[in-house]
Amino acid sequence: LSRESQLAESPEGTQIDVCSSPSPSTGLSARRRSLPRAAMTSSFTIRTPCSSANIGPGFDVIGLALSLYLELRVTIDTSKSSSQHPLNCVVTYEDRSGSTEEISLDPEVNLITRVALYVLRCHDQRAFPVETHVHIVNPIPLGRGLGSSGTAVVAGVMLGNEVGRLGLSKDRLLDYCLMIGKSLFITV
């Protein structure tokens, strides 16, 4: 969740890579790449680890982040002034987990984009930036105790923060994760 570097704009419009190293405590990272101004496209990747909280006597209290990551590959094309897509967003999904469950590609229904929209709307942004494409790569089996829902919530909070350029603190990001995660598991 921490940023070791800030985005910078190059007067020449050359490619700039800005990376955040995964935090040792969360294992989360975001990578943003700005392309030449003429292209008016930016892209970044969000990687969120799965977890297990089914650890002996610490059931649902003690957890581990594992080395299996949900990945969001996000591209925003700002060269267009409007979008034909609902909420300016296209969602695609690549299942690498072998799960048989259907994942909604509707940005208002998909858990990740729905969480991102919630974070954006809390900051007076009603939709994604025009022509946002979110490609989800998921190797985490659904419903198998590896925290796929929690991972999706964290990825959604990070997505909202990044596309909205909100610059939320680590504490505020955690607040959103806890609040949304709690309501998700109470209403399910």
Side-chain angles (χ1 to χ4, degrees):
L1 297 177
S2 65
R3 280 190 161 182
E4 292 179 353
S5 319
Q6 297 297 319
L7 289 175
E9 292 193 34
S10 166
E12 300 83 30
T14 57
Q15 181 174 314
I16 302 166
D17 287 321
V18 180
C19 301
S20 294
S21 298
S23 164
S25 61
T26 62
L28 302 177
S29 66
R31 177 180 177 88
R32 183 181 290 269
R33 184 180 62 175
S34 295
L35 300 176
R37 288 183 200 262
M40 300 297 273
T41 301
S42 66
S43 63
F44 60 93
T45 299
I46 297 172
R47 296 180 70 224
T48 310
C50 67
S51 61
S52 179
N54 300 326
I55 301 173
F59 180 75
D60 280 349
V61 175
I62 301 171
L64 294 174
L66 305 174
S67 60
L68 195 59
Y69 292 86
L70 173 72
E71 188 172 282
L72 305 183
R73 298 175 187 162
V74 183
T75 304
I76 303 170
D77 180 0
T78 57
S79 66
K80 299 179 182 173
S81 60
S82 65
S83 176
Q84 300 297 319
H85 307 291
L87 300 165
N88 302 327
C89 183
V90 174
V91 178
T92 55
Y93 183 78
E94 183 179 336
D95 180 16
R96 293 187 181 170
S97 70
S99 295
T100 58
E101 291 86 353
E102 290 290 318
I103 301 298
S104 176
L105 302 180
D106 178 343
E108 283 192 287
V109 177
N110 180 279
L111 179 58
I112 295 169
T113 51
R114 193 175 71 207
V115 168
L117 282 166
Y118 176 79
V119 172
L120 290 170
R121 289 174 177 168
C122 286
H123 293 88
D124 297 322
Q125 296 182 40
R126 308 310 303 162
F128 288 93
V130 172
E131 293 300 308
T132 298
H133 177 233
V134 179
H135 181 69
I136 303 165
V137 180
N138 185 20
I140 304 168
L142 305 178
R144 300 287 187 258
L146 293 176
S148 58
S149 297
T151 300
V153 168
V154 172
V157 169
M158 294 291 292
L159 177 62
N161 186 52
E162 288 295 317
V163 298
R165 297 186 180 269
L166 303 175
L168 299 173
S169 70
K170 185 189 269 189
D171 288 342
R172 191 67 184 130
L173 292 169
L174 181 60
D175 287 343
Y176 276 111
C177 291
L178 292 173
M179 179 177 58
I180 295 165
K182 180 179 179 181
S183 67
L184 173 70
F185 297 112
I186 289 173
T187 59
V188 170

